[in-house]
């Protein structure tokens, strides 16, 4: 469960965030425990319980994370800034990493060698496997892509058990320097923590992060006028160089002890735990054999002569100068220079703050007081002319153009009222938008879909309106509702509640109301002597007009059976004849079409 | 043979008589999500080449900050241009013409969620849109700044906030009353490693840049006359603790923040003795302090003590803060500037004459050149 984001402008600090699993290889195993009861077979017999388990399954997986190097994309920020120049002499360098669990994903001392079998202190879990060491530029040597076996002590490589051919970047420094700056175990845990910040008001970035950062601090304060390399190094299995107890506090801070950078042989006082570590031989120093085996010694000063318990002996056998050094896997490094000014505060205080359109006073571009820039363009006739352009950023508030939308860039061209020159600002905006849209295939599709949907609906509306008008629908047609049910309902309703009587399908009774068809009206109009005369004129058949028609009485039939019908050969023949005639008619009609 | 109910020409006529094709209230009139999102991003100049924003590099010199208003007409044209894609006939034009007000209004609302979409942590476009559609207030003035500085590249993820009133320090951004004055940040992004653009909704009276919180420095005070490193002690919220009384032995002066000396290693005077410092901090717990210090039982508490609060740079409206840094004469002052030439009747008349009697484009150009020469 992730804690909620801290309120705006606030930050929450955490001692550590442990990963659920440390990096490494794991085995998982699944088994089931299922049993069921069988009902008693016979009276008096107890019910039986039977187990039915699935076969056991197991597998292996690795939890992997950065180990021999850290990608730059994992680094959220570094302080002092990379290649920065500034007065950093009052602050401790640090590096913020996007992954909040990273410093605790491995163990510095998984076998607890440093405790010599004693139960470790409670804070042992907190010890990160990385440290930020700050070297002066001249104190350390960084090598790129070295085979891990060549760079680190054999003991460490054995424990790390890297894949064959693993290449690492390394940093080497004299062991006296390393000893003087290497934090002790407890200090390592104090120098590493997790920060959770509010991300609402920050600029976006390719890897914006979720507001969680692990932060590794250095314990060395830069000194003014010096160049530094900050090195985030891996300390996995490096219990040979990390002291259990911190070195003594300076008793007299008024007189700092001068630091011997390259002490001669035998002066190293590195604190090394006694167990399992090959000590440097004191009497039988095998220089001569080393010289023969390593020809590179003949050319350069400072080559590795031997390696004893994490301390590499480097030297020039010809001049008999030797010193000790330590090499670490370099996860990430950056350089900076500590000068007088250049902190965030100094930078933002020194900003030249103006409204946009206030150019540099020294080399001023030609700018009108409306913020337009003179721009040389070739017009469509190929002739050069000076036009005016102003970007979307203006130094004063402008009213929004209400005459939208525009359909072409030409429509957006304006004559500038101040000078009579042409203003291409909005035409440029139009073209810019068009080009950006054209570069996006999905947008073009979506715009076409937008239009097509509109056209489709309007087409449908037209059709529906026409159908509704023709079919005398009982309900208004809605373009967004399915039309077929509406049509069906209308049809059924007009059958149930017919607007005309079924007995008069040809609307004779309506026609009868027409003045020319009504005998009484006709008699009056033509001044006839009697209505009978009018009836005669209109055809005289009382069945056609006016008179009520009585239905003929049904023929009474005796009850008949299937057998009787079957025996009526004449009747069946007549029916067959009708059927043949209907088929003939249909065939003729179809052929004539 | 039956005649069809409708045919192409009548249906086309019917639809041309109704250029919007569909009522703006119909669901089909709404833009597809991708189109709406794209245009809303475009409204905030996302993806617009830098040269369009700053046509001349001298407009944004090194180590400068430039405040601006956003020309909404410019961004409207940008959206018009994008919609012009695939417009092949008068019908498409009529459709756009009829729906433009609705599209504009919708984009005015949708542009407010662009930043949330860019951050990408707060749900899908549809969910976000529900929020933004709840707020139907019309498009406001958009302002912002461009910042080109080594501070942008060296201190990534700095905090930027804008307020509509000039709030005095101490300013707590998490305070509700303060947040009511905060302007909505529409966009805050790097255009290049050292150039940052910010857009706000509304006219700010106060803009603050804050040192990024995750890279707050650990500060100690450099050796002074006595050659000792020293540092402030801080309470559980990271504030300095004022001394409650005068105590020369402890170096206390009433009201002044308490400092303690920082131990260094014997082997290297520039390397802090972290364990010793932690012990010394823990020893302070026994003193009667007005604000309690956090108990020293982990790296977070230790970090809290050595943290240096982030620097907050204020850019304020009309209040002149000369002497407190910043400088320059272009502090952000809201207001409307009317060009002198627009109200100049002579210029207007001359312009009209060119338009009416100037004849062909050649004369036009000549007139323009003459005018340019006069400038």
């Amino acid at each position: 469960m992730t804690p909620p984001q801290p309120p705006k402008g606030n930050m929450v600090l955490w001692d550590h965030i442990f990963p659920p699993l440390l990096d490494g290889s794991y085995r998982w195993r699944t088994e089931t425990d299922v049993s069921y009861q069988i009902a008693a077979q016979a009276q008096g017999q107890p019910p039986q319980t039977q187990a039915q388990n699935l076969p056991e399954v197991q597998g292996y997986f690795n939890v992997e994370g950065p180990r021999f190097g850290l990608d730059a994309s994992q680094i959220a920020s570094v302080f002092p800034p990379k290649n920065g120049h500034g007065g950093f002499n009052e602050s401790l360098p640090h590096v913020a990493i996007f992954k909040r669990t990273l410093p605790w994903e491995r163990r510095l001392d998984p076998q607890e060698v440093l405790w010599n079998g004693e139960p470790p202190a409670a804070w042992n879990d907190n010890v990160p496997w990385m440290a930020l060491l700050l070297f002066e530029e001249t104190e350390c040597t960084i090598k790129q892509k070295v085979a891990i076996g060549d760079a680190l002590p054999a003991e460490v490589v054995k424990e790390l058990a890297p894949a064959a051919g693993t290449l690492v970047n390394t940093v080497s420094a004299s062991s006296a320097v390393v000893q003087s700056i290497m934090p002790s175990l407890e200090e390592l845990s104090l120098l590493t923590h997790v920060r959770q910040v509010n991300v609402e008001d920050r600029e976006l970035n390719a890897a914006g992060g979720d507001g969680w950062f692990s932060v590794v601090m250095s314990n060395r304060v830069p000194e003014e006028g010096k160049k530094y390399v900050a090195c985030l190094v891996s300390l996995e299995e490096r219990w040979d160089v990390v002291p259990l107890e911190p070195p003594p506090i300076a008793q007299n801070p008024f007189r700092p002890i001068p630091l011997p950078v390259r002490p001669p042989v035998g002066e190293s006082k590195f604190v090394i735990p006694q167990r399992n570590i090959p000590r440097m031989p004191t009497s039988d120093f095998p220089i001569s054999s080393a010289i023969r085996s390593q020809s590179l010694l003949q050319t350069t000063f400072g080559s590795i002569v031997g390696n004893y318990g994490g301390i590499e002996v480097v030297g020039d056998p010809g001049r008999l100068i030797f010193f000790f050094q330590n090499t670490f896997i370099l996860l990430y490094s950056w350089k900076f220079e500590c000068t007088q000014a250049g902190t965030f505060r100094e930078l933002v205080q020194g900003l030249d703050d103006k409204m946009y359109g206030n150019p540099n006073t020294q080399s001023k571009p030609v700018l009108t007081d409306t913020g337009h820039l003179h721009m040389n363009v070739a017009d469509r006739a190929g002739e050069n002319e000076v036009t005016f352009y102003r970007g979307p950023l203006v130094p004063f508030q402008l009213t929004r153009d209400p005459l939208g939308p525009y359909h072409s860039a030409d429509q957006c061209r304006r004559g500038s009222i101040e000078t009579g020159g042409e203003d291409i600002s909005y035409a440029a905006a139009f073209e810019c938008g068009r080009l950006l849209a054209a570069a996006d295939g999905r947008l073009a599709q979506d715009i076409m879909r937008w239009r097509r949907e509109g056209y489709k609906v309007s087409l449908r509306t037209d059709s529906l309106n026409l159908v509704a008008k023709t079919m005398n629908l009982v309900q208004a047609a809605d373009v967004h509702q399915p039309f077929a049910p509406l049509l069906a309902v209308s049809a059924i309703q007009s059958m149930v509640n017919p607007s005309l009587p079924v007995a008069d399908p040809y609307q004779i009774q309506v026609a009868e109301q027409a003045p020319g068809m009504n005998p009484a009206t006709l008699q009056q109009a033509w001044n006839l002597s009697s209505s009978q005369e009018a009836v005669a004129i209109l055809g005289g058949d009382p069945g056609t007009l006016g008179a009520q028609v009585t239905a003929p009485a049904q023929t009474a039939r005796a009850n008949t059976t299937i057998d009787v019908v079957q025996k009526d050969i004449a009747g069946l023949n007549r029916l067959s004849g009708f059927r043949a005639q209907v088929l003939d008619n249909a065939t003729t009609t179809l052929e004539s079409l | 043979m039956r005649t069809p109910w409708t045919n192409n020409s009548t249906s086309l006529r019917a639809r041309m008589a109704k250029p919007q094709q569909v009522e703006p209230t119909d669901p089909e009139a709404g833009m597809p999500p991708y189109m709406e999102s794209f245009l809303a991003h475009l409204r905030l100049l996302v993806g617009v080449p830098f040269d369009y924003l700053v046509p001349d590099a001298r407009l944004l010199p090194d180590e400068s900050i430039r405040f601006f208003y956003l020309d909404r007409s410019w961004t409207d044209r940008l959206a018009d241009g994008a919609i012009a894609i695939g417009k092949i006939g008068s019908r498409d034009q009529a459709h756009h013409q009829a729906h433009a007000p609705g599209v504009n209004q919708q984009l005015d609302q949708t542009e407010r969620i662009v930043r949330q979409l860019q951050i990408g942590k707060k749900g899908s476009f549809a969910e976000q849109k529900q929020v933004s559609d709840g707020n139907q207030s019309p498009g406001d003035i958009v302002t912002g700044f461009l910042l080109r500085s080594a501070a942008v590249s060296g201190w990534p993820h700095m905090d930027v906030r804008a307020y509509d009133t000039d709030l005095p320090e101490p300013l707590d951004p998490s305070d509700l009353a303060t947040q009511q004055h905060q302007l909505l940040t529409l966009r805050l992004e790097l255009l290049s490693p050292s150039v940052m653009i910010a857009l706000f909704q509304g006219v700010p009276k106060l803009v603050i840049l804050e040192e990024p919180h995750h890279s707050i420095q650990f500060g100690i005070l450099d050796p002074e006359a006595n050659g000792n490193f020293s540092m402030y002690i801080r309470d559980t919220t990271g504030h300095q603790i004022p001394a409650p009384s005068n105590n020369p032995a402890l170096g206390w002066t009433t009201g002044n923040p308490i400092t303690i000396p920082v131990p260094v290693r014997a082997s290297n005077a520039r390397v802090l003795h972290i364990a010793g410092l932690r012990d010394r901090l823990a020893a302070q717990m026994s003193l009667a302090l007005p604000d309690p210090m956090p108990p020293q039982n982990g790296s977070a508490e230790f970090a809290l003590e050595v943290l240096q609060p982030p620097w907050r740079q204020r850019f304020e409206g009309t209040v002149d803060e000369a002497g407190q840094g910043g400088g320059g004469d272009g502090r952000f002052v809201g207001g409307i500037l009317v060009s002198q030439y627009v109200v100049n009747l002579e210029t207007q008349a001359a312009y009209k004459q060119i338009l009416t009697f100037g004849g062909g484009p050649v004369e036009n150009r000549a007139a323009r050149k003459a005018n340019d020469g006069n400038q």
Side-chain angles (χ1 to χ4, degrees):
Chain A
M1 190 65 197
T2 309
Q5 185 165 253
K8 274 191 183 187
N10 287 15
M11 165 171 92
V12 177
L13 299 171
W14 304 78
D15 282 351
H16 43 71
I17 306 273
F18 292 134
L21 282 177
L22 296 184
D23 287 357
S25 296
Y26 292 87
R27 184 181 72 171
W28 57 265
R29 203 176 64 139
T30 334
E31 54 182 36
T32 53
D33 182 14
V34 177
S35 60
Y36 57 91
Q37 274 192 347
I38 302 169
Q41 295 292 323
Q43 207 83 64
Q45 223 172 3
Q48 286 185 334
T49 304
Q50 195 163 344
Q52 186 158 19
N53 289 327
L54 293 169
E56 190 181 300
V57 180
Q58 65 176 16
Y60 297 87
F61 65 92
N62 288 338
V63 177
E64 286 175 354
R67 190 175 188 193
F68 297 126
L70 206 52
D71 195 61
S73 64
Q74 298 260 8
I75 306 291
S77 78
V78 294
F79 179 86
K82 197 170 183 174
N83 300 325
H85 302 253
F88 309 122
N89 54 335
E90 290 200 344
S91 38
L92 294 166
H94 71 261
V95 53
I97 304 168
F98 278 121
K99 205 171 174 193
R100 60 186 174 187
T101 55
L102 189 64
W104 296 277
E105 280 177 4
R106 296 175 179 279
R107 281 282 174 80
L108 187 147
D109 180 15
Q111 290 147 43
E112 292 171 4
V113 177
L114 279 170
W115 283 268
N116 282 326
E118 287 168 30
W123 40 261
N124 178 35
D125 280 348
N126 306 353
V127 176
W129 62 280
M130 44 178 69
L132 186 63
L133 303 181
L134 183 66
F135 297 110
E136 282 176 32
E137 212 171 27
T138 50
E139 280 174 353
C140 68
T141 317
I142 290 179
K143 285 184 186 154
Q144 309 281 339
K145 299 234 161 79
V146 188
I148 191 167
D150 299 342
L152 295 186
E155 285 288 316
V156 174
V157 175
K158 191 179 142 207
E159 294 293 341
L160 286 175
T166 305
L167 297 181
V168 292
N169 297 340
T170 62
V171 56
S172 310
S174 114
S175 49
V177 171
V178 169
Q179 183 191 350
S180 74
I181 64 175
M182 177 61 77
S184 72
L185 269 189
E186 188 185 3
E187 287 180 334
L188 275 176
S189 74
L190 284 175
L191 288 171
T192 313
H193 66 270
V194 175
R195 288 184 195 180
Q196 187 193 9
V197 303
N198 183 297
V199 294
E200 296 278 324
D201 295 320
R202 302 187 324 177
E203 94 270 359
L204 302 167
N205 191 285
D210 50 2
W212 286 92
F213 301 92
S214 51
V215 177
V216 183
M217 290 156 64
S218 161
N219 58 355
R220 187 175 185 181
V221 189
E223 205 169 344
E224 197 177 308
K226 286 188 176 170
K227 293 182 177 179
Y228 287 93
V229 189
C231 300
L232 186 68
V233 300
S234 160
L235 294 177
E236 194 184 3
E237 301 283 358
R238 293 314 295 270
W239 34 266
D240 54 340
V241 287
V242 178
L244 189 57
E245 298 294 337
I249 298 179
Q251 290 307 316
N252 186 357
F254 299 94
R255 242 175 351 122
I257 299 162
L259 177 70
V261 177
R262 292 180 170 178
V265 177
E267 271 198 18
S268 171
K269 289 174 188 160
F270 212 91
V271 182
I272 301 171
Q274 295 294 317
R275 256 173 31 139
N276 298 339
I277 300 170
R279 300 302 306 266
M280 183 164 61
T282 45
S283 55
D284 182 21
F285 201 55
I287 295 177
S288 51
S289 60
I291 293 169
R292 287 189 204 100
S293 63
Q294 296 190 21
S295 58
L296 63 147
L297 278 182
Q298 293 161 7
T299 51
T300 52
F301 173 80
S303 303
I304 297 174
V305 182
N307 192 334
Y308 303 94
I311 298 180
E312 298 140 22
V313 182
V314 177
D316 178 354
R319 288 156 59 187
L320 285 175
I321 300 173
F322 299 96
F323 57 91
F324 308 127
Q325 74 169 30
N326 287 101
T327 304
F328 297 96
I329 296 176
L330 182 64
L331 297 171
Y332 185 79
S333 74
W334 77 95
K335 290 181 182 180
F336 64 91
E337 189 176 347
C338 190
T339 55
Q340 290 209 324
T343 60
F344 181 82
R345 175 177 174 167
E346 285 151 357
L347 281 172
V348 293
Q349 292 239 306
L351 283 178
D352 167 25
D353 59 335
K354 290 193 175 73
M355 285 301 285
Y356 184 79
N358 260 318
N360 236 351
T361 43
Q362 278 145 23
S363 58
K364 212 170 176 170
V366 185
L367 208 64
T368 67
D369 58 351
T370 48
H372 285 81
L373 191 73
H374 285 230
M375 206 161 259
N376 295 313
V377 296
D379 71 356
R380 60 191 59 187
E383 200 153 342
N384 289 326
E385 63 173 331
V386 177
T387 55
F388 295 98
Y389 173 80
R390 179 175 65 191
L393 320 178
V394 288
F396 36 79
Q397 192 180 335
L398 291 173
T399 43
R400 200 168 177 173
D401 182 358
L403 305 170
Y406 289 73
H407 299 288
S408 72
D410 275 347
Q411 207 183 346
C412 310
R413 290 161 74 189
R414 288 285 175 271
S416 155
I417 203 159
E418 295 91 336
T419 57
E422 189 185 335
D423 178 359
I424 59 162
S425 313
Y426 296 134
F430 187 95
E431 283 304 310
C432 178
R434 209 166 65 90
L435 292 172
L436 286 173
D440 191 305
R442 192 170 158 200
L443 178 74
Q445 279 181 1
D446 258 22
I447 291 182
M448 290 312 282
R449 184 175 306 131
W450 178 55
R451 290 194 192 120
R452 209 169 48 229
E453 286 298 320
Y455 300 161
K456 258 159 71 179
V457 169
S458 89
L459 178 62
R460 197 170 141 82
T461 312
D462 288 347
S463 308
L464 290 193
N465 286 343
L466 211 57
V467 170
K469 207 167 122 193
T470 315
M471 303 275 293
N472 236 341
L473 293 185
V474 292
Q475 231 177 311
D478 182 354
V479 74
H480 296 116
Q481 302 295 329
F483 190 51
L486 180 63
L487 214 52
V489 165
S490 280
I492 292 167
Q493 276 192 350
S494 43
M495 280 196 278
V496 174
N497 305 314
S499 53
L500 299 168
V502 180
D504 186 18
Y506 301 108
Q507 303 188 21
I508 293 299
Q509 286 174 354
V510 177
E512 185 191 29
Q513 304 298 323
M517 301 290 270
N518 190 334
T521 322
L522 198 66
Q523 179 203 353
Q524 206 182 344
W526 288 358
N527 208 7
L528 298 175
S529 55
S530 71
S531 68
Q532 306 301 327
E533 214 174 327
V535 168
I537 289 170
L538 285 169
D541 184 355
T544 319
L545 295 168
Q548 294 294 325
V549 179
T550 49
Q554 266 201 324
T555 316
R557 291 177 198 275
N559 288 341
T560 54
T561 62
I562 299 276
D563 293 334
V564 178
V565 172
Q566 267 187 337
K567 280 172 193 156
D568 184 4
I569 305 294
L572 281 176
N573 284 343
R574 207 161 50 243
L575 283 175
S576 309
F578 281 139
R579 180 167 160 269
Q581 199 180 349
V582 167
L583 286 175
D584 271 1
N585 285 350
T587 317
T588 317
T589 313
L590 286 172
E591 279 171 357
S592 72
L593 277 174
Chain B
M1 293 294 286
R2 231 175 44 179
T3 51
W5 278 342
T6 181
N7 57 33
N8 285 344
S9 60
T10 48
S11 103
L12 191 59
R13 197 182 312 123
R15 261 168 279 142
M16 291 307 282
K18 201 174 70 171
Q20 73 267 33
Q21 314 286 336
V22 281
E23 296 303 322
T25 47
D26 279 350
E28 287 78 7
M31 290 173 274
Y34 185 79
M35 173 182 170
E36 185 177 341
S37 158
F38 186 97
L39 294 178
H41 279 72
L42 215 51
R43 277 291 199 84
L44 300 180
L45 305 171
V46 176
V48 174
F50 187 64
D51 287 347
Y52 280 88
L53 308 184
V54 183
D56 190 308
R58 287 169 289 181
L59 290 169
L60 187 65
D62 283 346
E63 294 302 328
S64 70
I65 185 166
R66 290 284 184 269
F67 293 93
F68 56 78
Y69 287 91
L70 186 68
D71 183 358
R72 300 304 291 257
S73 313
W74 208 95
T75 49
D76 284 348
R77 295 299 81 77
L78 206 55
D80 284 349
I83 297 177
I85 280 292
K87 220 187 248 179
I88 46 172
S90 52
R91 183 184 181 186
D92 301 330
Q93 278 195 7
H95 179 251
H96 181 203
Q97 183 80 32
H99 281 283
V103 166
N104 260 353
Q105 195 192 340
Q106 183 63 52
L107 290 181
D108 280 348
Q109 291 170 22
T110 313
E111 67 186 16
R112 294 170 193 149
I113 58 167
V114 165
R115 182 161 159 79
Q116 297 302 339
L117 293 172
Q118 286 186 314
I119 293 173
K121 296 276 183 204
K122 290 207 177 155
S124 67
F125 178 73
E127 288 165 27
Q128 286 291 316
K129 196 167 132 56
Q130 277 191 338
V131 179
S132 76
D133 283 359
N135 174 9
Q136 297 211 336
S137 56
D140 204 352
I141 301 164
V142 175
T143 59
F145 66 77
L146 278 173
L147 170 62
R148 186 200 288 274
S149 166
V152 175
S153 49
W155 282 262
H157 307 300
M158 66 172 86
D159 278 25
V160 176
R161 298 190 186 86
Y163 296 93
D164 61 2
T165 48
D166 193 355
L167 298 166
E169 294 285 343
L171 188 150
D172 179 7
S174 65
D175 186 33
L176 272 182
T178 310
Q179 283 187 9
Q180 279 176 352
H181 289 294
Q182 187 175 357
L183 298 177
L184 179 66
T185 304
L186 294 172
R187 194 176 168 206
L188 189 60
E189 210 174 336
L190 297 191
L191 298 177
S192 77
S194 65
V195 177
M196 175 196 270
I197 187 171
L199 291 176
F200 307 109
Q201 182 177 300
V203 182
K205 291 270 173 60
L206 167 70
V207 174
I208 57 177
L209 304 181
E210 236 170 64
E211 204 169 344
H213 286 192
H214 61 277
S215 69
I216 296 175
Q217 310 160 25
F218 301 97
I220 40 125
L221 304 173
D222 208 28
E224 290 165 13
N226 62 359
N228 236 339
F229 281 118
S230 59
M231 59 174 272
Y232 295 110
I233 59 171
R234 295 175 188 279
D235 65 9
T236 48
T237 55
H239 291 105
Q240 296 170 346
I241 303 176
S245 59
N246 272 322
N247 188 336
L250 291 169
W252 288 6
T253 314
T254 310
N256 280 6
I258 301 173
T259 59
I260 58 166
V262 176
V264 293
R265 286 188 178 187
S267 51
N268 188 334
R270 298 294 294 187
V271 177
L272 305 187
H273 199 289
I274 301 294
L277 177 59
R278 200 268 319 270
D279 293 342
R280 199 164 288 186
L281 284 167
Q284 299 291 313
M285 297 288 295
S286 61
L287 300 171
L289 294 173
D291 301 308
M293 283 171 63
Q296 285 298 316
N297 54 13
S299 58
E301 289 81 1
F302 177 76
L304 185 63
E305 290 301 317
V306 284
L307 275 181
Q308 216 173 36
W311 176 253
R312 176 182 285 162
Q313 179 65 35
R314 293 163 64 95
F315 294 93
E316 287 165 289
T318 48
V319 182
D320 184 24
E321 283 218 278
Q324 293 208 19
D329 53 357
R331 292 195 173 277
F332 194 66
V333 184
I336 303 179
L337 194 87
V338 181
S339 170
Q340 295 290 321
Y341 289 108
V342 180
V343 291
N344 184 335
L345 291 176
E346 277 177 28
T347 318
Q348 275 187 353
Y351 186 63
K352 274 180 191 154
Q353 196 184 3
I354 291 167
L355 281 185
T356 328
F357 310 110
V362 180
E363 282 83 358
N364 247 337
R365 225 176 352 256
R368 265 182 241 140
K369 278 180 179 159
N371 247 325
D372 289 347
N374 291 339
Q375 282 200 333

